[in-house]
């Protein structure tokens, strides 16, 4: 494929929807917005993350002089698998050939490096990060870590939320933390940010992880333009002969399905103490619909009220077939917005205003609306199909 905008030949699998020049201009504009935001937000710019936490989020490849700042809920497993390939940890070229559940080793971070060495590496390297619209990132974090079965997060975050933000909780909820509502999660998030208590990296604002006012990144990618930004960064870093894809969108979807199944079954014993396996799988199924990977017209095939054994391979095959039947990706992606509106329709104006203030730095620095118009418009319309709920408990 020939890209006339920058006179380079793109490798198979790198098919951007936009011209290279447009994407480069977008990167330039984002950097300008960050610099201007840093200037205007000085009095508000307070990062609670420790310097050690920031160092741990900086993934480093010294041979190629590349630094990636990893922000949870912004494609971290994808990029960490690429760094596994760069380090030689994995002898493959397609990051999707590595299971997402195995993405957290085989690369170097700045965690144990002295600051003088980090300063030198940053000065000599190309640096990039990816961000997500802050209100959307919260929905994504909630869906992935609390709504979808995740025994570790139910135990650490869910039980804490039940104990501190719910009136008259049941004994099962106190013990499991498995039934957190989005409203309860938002209350917890605001409180944790204001008090610096019981925070978790998956929800902490993006600016705290990467300190863009202290570190000048060459490329700021966004999840809203993930494919094009990713392909451009790979080319800018001269990685197109090292990292290759067959069908990026389909591989992304299949990867998410496999990772979802692997993750649920890795915690099966702990999850079943709190709910029947079919109900847990139903929630993981809903998460894939929320992400726009499965059509919302696909029906879940198991009785969620009964405890039964469902082999992981059987469930995985069902999901893969469901994906094949789910139709046009652009239609499926509308699920994301519907789920987003469903979640925020439950949040009061007072709580929304508090959330807006809590997310202010991220929205300003990365060029997002301080309060998305589609949320404010909820007052004047029904946000979703009354007969369908994404976040069914």
């Amino acid at each position: 494929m020939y890209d006339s905008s920058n006179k380079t030949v793109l490798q198979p699998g790198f098919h951007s929807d936009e011209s290279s020049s447009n994407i480069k201009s977008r990167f330039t504009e984002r950097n300008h917005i960050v610099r201007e935001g840093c200037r205007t937000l000085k009095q508000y710019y307070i990062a609670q993350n420790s310097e050690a936490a920031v160092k741990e989020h900086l993934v480093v490849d010294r041979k190629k002089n590349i630094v990636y700042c990893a922000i949870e809920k912004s494609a971290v497993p994808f990029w960490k698998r690429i760094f596994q390939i760069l380090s030689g940890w994995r002898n493959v070229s397609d990051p999707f050939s590595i299971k997402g559940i195995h993405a957290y080793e085989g690369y170097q971070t700045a965690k144990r490096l002295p600051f003088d060495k980090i300063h030198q590496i940053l000065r000599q390297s190309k640096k990039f990060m990816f961000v997500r619209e802050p209100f959307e990132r919260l929905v994504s974090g909630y869906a992935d870590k609390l709504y979808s079965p995740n025994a570790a997060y139910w135990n650490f975050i869910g039980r804490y939320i039940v104990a501190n933000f719910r009136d008259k909780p049941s004994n099962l909820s106190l013990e499991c933390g498995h039934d957190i509502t989005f409203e309860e999660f938002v209350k917890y998030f605001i409180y944790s940010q204001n008090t610096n208590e019981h925070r978790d990296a998956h929800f902490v604002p993006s600016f705290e992880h990467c300190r863009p006012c202290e570190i000048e990144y060459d490329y700021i990618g966004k999840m809203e333009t993930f494919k094009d930004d990713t392909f451009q960064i790979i080319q800018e870093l001269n990685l197109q002969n090292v990292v290759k894809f067959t069908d990026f969108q389909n591989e992304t979807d299949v990867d998410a399905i496999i990772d979802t199944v692997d993750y649920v079954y890795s915690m099966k014993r702990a999850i079943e103490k709190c709910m029947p396996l079919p109900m847990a799988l139903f929630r993981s199924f809903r998460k894939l619909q929320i992400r726009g990977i499965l059509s919302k017209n696909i029906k879940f095939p198991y009785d969620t009220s009964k405890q039964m054994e469902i082999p992981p391979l059987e469930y995985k095959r069902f999901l893969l077939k469901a994906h094949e039947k789910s139709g046009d990706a652009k239609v499926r992606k509308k699920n994301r917005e519907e789920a987003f509106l469903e979640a925020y329709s439950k949040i009061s104006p007072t709580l929304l205003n508090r959330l807006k203030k809590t997310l202010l730095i991220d929205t300003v620095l990365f060029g997002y609306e301080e309060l998305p118009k589609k949320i404010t418009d909820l007052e004047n319309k029904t946000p979703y199909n009354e007969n369908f709920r994404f976040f069914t408990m």
Side-chain angles (χ1 to χ4, degrees):
M1 177 180 175
Y2 189 76
D3 181 357
S4 60
S5 63
N6 63 0
K7 308 299 183 184
T8 59
V9 178
L10 307 185
Q11 297 295 323
F14 289 86
H15 303 296
S16 295
D17 296 328
E18 291 189 68
S19 70
S20 179
S21 59
N22 284 349
I23 300 170
K24 287 180 179 180
S25 296
R26 197 160 61 209
F27 285 141
T28 300
E29 176 64 17
R30 289 171 185 170
N31 285 337
H32 172 74
I33 290 171
V34 167
R35 299 273 71 78
E36 184 63 20
C38 292
R39 185 183 66 81
T40 59
L41 285 174
K42 281 184 179 179
Q43 60 180 316
Y44 303 105
Y45 187 89
I46 301 174
Q48 300 179 88
N49 255 9
S50 67
E51 291 181 344
V54 175
K55 289 167 64 176
E56 192 169 357
H57 279 80
L58 296 177
V59 182
V60 176
D61 188 285
R62 296 205 221 183
K63 290 182 180 179
K64 293 189 176 293
N65 292 325
I66 301 170
V67 174
Y68 159 58
C69 184
I71 300 174
E72 286 82 353
K73 302 312 303 169
S74 298
V76 169
F78 171 81
W79 279 106
K80 285 189 172 179
R81 282 178 281 183
I82 287 181
F83 275 82
Q84 287 181 332
I85 294 171
L86 298 183
S87 72
W89 181 263
R90 302 285 187 182
N91 187 26
V92 297
S93 59
D94 187 344
F96 292 118
S97 66
I98 306 166
K99 284 192 173 185
I101 204 169
H102 298 150
Y104 299 94
E105 58 183 345
Y107 49 81
Q108 182 184 17
T109 72
K111 181 179 180 179
R112 302 186 187 281
L113 297 176
F115 278 103
D116 59 339
K117 177 59 70 174
I118 294 173
H119 179 73
Q120 178 186 358
I121 291 171
L122 290 173
R123 190 174 64 250
Q124 296 174 345
S125 300
K126 291 289 187 180
K127 302 167 287 294
F128 71 97
M129 59 187 288
F130 270 80
V131 296
R132 183 191 290 261
E133 197 283 322
F135 289 84
E136 170 64 34
R137 182 168 175 258
L138 282 184
V139 175
S140 176
Y142 167 74
D144 188 43
K145 301 302 179 186
L146 292 168
Y147 176 73
S148 185
N150 190 317
Y153 271 80
W154 288 351
N155 184 58
F156 175 61
I157 301 293
R159 292 174 62 197
Y160 177 83
I161 292 175
V162 170
N164 291 278
F165 299 95
R166 182 179 298 180
D167 294 330
K168 299 179 181 179
S170 69
N171 289 334
L172 182 62
S173 295
L174 285 168
E175 183 178 343
C176 288
H178 65 303
D179 56 355
I180 304 304
T181 67
F182 185 66
E183 181 183 19
E184 290 170 333
F185 169 68
V186 169
K187 289 178 180 178
Y188 149 76
F189 170 71
I190 294 170
Y191 175 82
S192 69
Q193 282 301 115
N194 289 340
T195 62
N196 198 24
E197 181 179 318
H198 220 84
R199 299 203 309 164
D200 182 83
H202 287 83
F203 317 128
V204 168
S206 298
F207 83 94
E208 293 200 47
H209 292 305
C210 297
R211 304 286 180 88
C213 292
E214 289 80 34
I215 301 172
E216 188 168 348
Y217 291 88
D218 298 278
Y219 313 106
I220 298 174
K222 289 189 174 183
M223 295 303 294
E224 295 79 21
T225 49
F226 178 68
K227 186 180 81 169
D228 288 346
D229 291 354
T230 292
F231 287 1
Q232 186 66 36
I233 289 171
I234 286 174
Q235 291 173 66
E236 294 282 343
L237 300 178
N238 294 315
L239 302 180
Q240 62 266 41
N241 292 320
V242 181
V243 179
K244 299 179 182 179
F245 310 100
T246 303
D247 180 341
F248 187 83
Q249 185 58 60
N250 188 64
E251 286 183 286
T252 300
D253 289 353
V254 170
D255 181 68
I257 289 170
I258 293 172
D259 187 54
T260 294
V261 176
D262 289 346
Y263 210 77
V264 172
Y265 278 91
S266 73
M267 300 185 181
K268 178 175 177 289
R269 184 174 298 178
I271 289 169
E272 287 183 309
K273 293 178 181 178
C274 300
M275 64 174 59
L277 178 63
M279 175 55 79
L281 297 184
F282 171 75
R283 288 209 202 171
S284 71
F285 170 77
R286 271 288 192 261
K287 182 185 77 169
L288 293 170
Q289 291 179 314
I290 290 165
R291 290 184 59 179
I293 292 169
L294 299 181
S295 167
K296 69 179 186 180
N297 296 321
I298 301 290
K299 304 300 182 184
F300 187 72
Y302 305 107
D303 185 342
T304 59
S305 65
K306 296 180 180 179
Q307 182 62 276
M308 67 177 76
E309 281 301 314
I310 302 169
L313 185 58
E314 175 186 321
Y315 182 52
K316 191 176 294 184
R317 284 173 176 165
F318 158 70
L319 292 177
L320 291 172
K321 288 182 180 179
H323 177 251
E324 291 176 0
K325 297 176 182 178
S326 287
D328 186 0
K330 291 182 179 179
V331 175
R332 287 186 272 120
K333 293 305 177 186
K334 293 179 181 178
N335 290 6
R336 286 179 178 268
E337 179 145 336
E338 291 180 19
F340 177 91
L341 295 176
E342 180 184 320
Y344 281 104
S345 71
K346 307 297 183 183
I347 308 302
S348 70
T350 300
L351 193 58
L352 270 177
N353 190 52
R354 292 173 59 202
L355 182 59
K356 171 186 171 182
K357 293 177 181 178
T358 306
L359 294 174
L360 176 68
I361 295 177
D362 265 6
T363 56
V364 172
L365 287 183
F366 302 118
Y368 293 106
E369 295 176 285
E370 291 184 21
L371 182 62
K373 185 176 183 298
K374 59 187 177 182
I375 293 180
T376 60
D377 286 347
L378 281 172
E379 296 179 10
N380 304 316
K381 65 179 181 180
T382 302
Y384 47 77
N385 185 340
E386 292 288 345
N387 298 317
F388 187 93
R389 294 287 187 275
F390 285 100
F391 296 105
T392 302
M393 286 292 183

